[in-house]
C-alpha cells in the first residue's frame, strides 16, 4: 500500500519546519548574488564556508516550487563541508 498524499504532505511540512529552525541562526555567510552571461542576468543564493578565502564550488538546483528552506538547509550542510554553495 502506498502512502497517502496527506502523509507525504505532513512529512514534507515536518522537514521544512526543521530546516526553518536550523536556518534561524545560520552559522555561515549567505546572500543573493547576480550572475550575468551575455545580455542575461539571473540571481542565485550562495552559502560561503566560514574562514575560507578559496573553496570548491557546488551548485544545487531547487525544485519547481522555488527556493525552499529545505533546499537552503541542504546547501548550508554542504557549506559546512567546505564548499561554496550556489542555488
Amino acid at each position: 500500500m502506498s502512502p497517502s498524499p496527506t502523509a507525504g504532505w505532513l512529512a514534507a511540512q515536518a522537514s521544512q519546519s526543521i530546516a526553518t529552525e536550523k536556518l534561524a541562526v545560520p552559522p555561515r555567510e549567505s546572500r543573493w548574488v547576480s550572475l550575468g552571461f551575455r545580455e542575461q542576468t539571473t540571481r542565485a543564493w550562495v552559502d560561503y564556508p566560514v574562514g575560507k578565502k578559496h573553496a570548491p564550488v557546488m551548485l544545487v538546483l531547487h525544485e519547481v516550487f522555488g527556493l525552499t528552506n529545505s533546499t537552503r538547509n541542504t546547501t548550508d550542510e554542504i557549506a559546512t563541508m567546505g564548499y561554496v554553495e550556489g542555488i
Side-chain angles (χ1 to χ4, degrees):
M1 180 176 194
S2 64
S4 70
T6 303
W9 183 85
L10 291 172
Q13 293 307 305
S15 70
Q16 276 290 103
S17 65
I18 291 169
T20 301
E21 289 171 17
K22 287 179 70 177
L23 292 170
V25 184
R28 271 147 295 292
E29 181 183 348
S30 302
R31 66 176 172 242
W32 285 103
V33 297
S34 292
L35 305 172
F37 181 72
R38 297 189 181 161
E39 293 86 35
Q40 297 182 345
T41 302
T42 190
R43 293 182 345 137
W45 181 260
V46 179
D47 285 315
Y48 299 91
V50 174
K52 286 202 169 187
K53 192 170 186 173
H54 298 283
V57 175
M58 182 178 288
L59 297 177
V60 174
L61 302 176
H62 62 72
E63 58 188 279
V64 69
F65 304 111
L67 181 58
T68 63
N69 284 343
S70 180
T71 304
R72 285 187 52 215
N73 184 59
T74 298
T75 63
D76 184 68
E77 292 291 325
I78 294 171
T80 63
M81 298 175 205
Y83 292 91
V84 173
E85 190 65 38
I87 304 174

